[in-house]
Amino acid sequence: MIKNIAFDFGGVIVDLDREGAVQAFIRLGLKDADRILDKYHQTGIFQELEEGKLNEETYREKLSQLCGKALKREEVRQAWMGFVGGMDTRKLDYIARLRHKGYHTYLLSNTNPYLMDYWARTPQFTPQGNSIDAYFDKLYLSFEMGCMKPNPEIFLQMIKDARIRPEETLFIDDSEANIAAGKTAGLQTFQPENASDWRAQVETLLERAG
């Protein structure tokens, strides 16, 4: 029986647009953005930001050096927003209904302060003025946890902190590597395609699980 559902953010809640992000960072002055940026797992200072090894200000200073000019926080935030190709708010409505039915919902995401603290966790996240916190029991964010998917540690931290049984938990992520790591941690898993409407498939999985 499934009692808990852990959702990925990029590719599941919001649509991922890597090319949009690459172009946004090139406009910012990062010439080799195409080499650096990845849909699922960043490298260099981008990885250090999402792992929590660099705080927002230090990351912005290092990014400014790479771009050859002093960057403002809003400029960097807008570049990171290039990853967001869109968001179907019906998915959020569905998650809200799952919580109403008694499921515990969690967000487990490789992410950073620019997307979370300066967008998703603000009233600007939805047209209704809801932050992402309104839809989940708790957010498990890589930059706050000090590790990233598919590192097994991030799954173990969530399982321990939320006091959930892995076999009673459905993990939804569009990354094959992350799904494999979730299975290793004992979670039930579902891998939708980026930007797909997965609601009916999740509903079927929940019904089959009883």
Side-chain angles (χ1 to χ4, degrees):
M1 183 176 182
I2 294 174
K3 298 180 180 180
N4 321 290
I5 310 173
F7 294 84
D8 179 32
F9 185 63
V12 176
I13 304 299
V14 301
D15 304 341
L16 275 179
D17 182 4
R18 177 186 173 276
E19 185 57 30
V22 167
Q23 294 305 317
F25 276 98
I26 287 175
R27 289 193 296 271
L28 205 60
L30 188 65
K31 296 179 181 179
D32 58 348
D34 189 50
R35 178 185 62 82
I36 294 174
L37 299 178
D38 185 78
K39 284 176 67 175
Y40 303 118
H41 198 285
Q42 305 306 333
T43 60
I45 63 170
F46 289 78
Q47 178 179 342
E48 291 176 350
L49 176 69
E50 297 209 329
E51 284 183 331
K53 293 179 179 178
L54 292 180
N55 62 28
E56 177 262 324
E57 290 186 1
T58 304
Y59 163 81
R60 180 156 45 93
E61 290 173 1
K62 290 180 177 292
L63 182 62
S64 294
Q65 293 172 3
L66 292 176
C67 294
K69 60 182 178 181
L71 298 171
K72 297 179 180 178
R73 175 187 290 167
E74 180 59 19
E75 290 179 295
V76 180
R77 186 189 76 88
Q78 287 291 343
W80 273 103
M81 287 296 294
F83 268 112
V84 180
M87 181 173 64
D88 185 346
T89 57
R90 294 178 300 174
K91 296 177 183 178
L92 295 173
D93 295 338
Y94 177 69
I95 294 170
R97 290 196 297 273
L98 289 174
R99 293 187 78 192
H100 184 71
K101 290 180 179 179
Y103 291 99
H104 296 289
T105 61
Y106 304 96
L107 190 75
L108 181 63
S109 176
N110 291 347
T111 189
N112 60 76
Y114 290 98
L115 288 175
M116 283 291 146
D117 295 347
Y118 307 136
W119 177 54
R121 302 189 91 167
T122 75
Q124 283 69 49
F125 182 59
T126 67
Q128 296 79 19
N130 295 329
S131 85
I132 196 169
D133 295 271
Y135 301 94
F136 296 95
D137 290 50
K138 189 165 182 177
L139 309 186
Y140 292 97
L141 311 176
S142 62
F143 72 97
E144 294 178 345
M145 299 173 74
C147 55
M148 298 172 67
K149 298 176 293 186
N151 187 332
E153 178 62 27
I154 197 168
F155 296 94
L156 297 177
Q157 282 193 40
M158 178 186 72
I159 291 166
K160 182 179 180 180
D161 182 79
R163 298 180 179 180
I164 56 178
R165 292 178 176 268
E167 66 273 14
E168 295 177 345
T169 305
L170 177 63
F171 171 54
I172 302 173
D173 196 299
D174 63 316
S175 162
E176 184 175 351
N178 295 344
I179 286 292
K183 287 180 179 178
T184 300
L187 304 171
Q188 298 191 49
T189 61
F190 169 55
Q191 183 184 353
E193 291 186 8
N194 172 41
S196 65
D197 183 357
W198 39 257
R199 292 174 298 160
Q201 291 164 288
V202 170
E203 193 64 24
T204 298
L205 287 171
L206 297 177
E207 289 173 359
R208 288 176 181 172

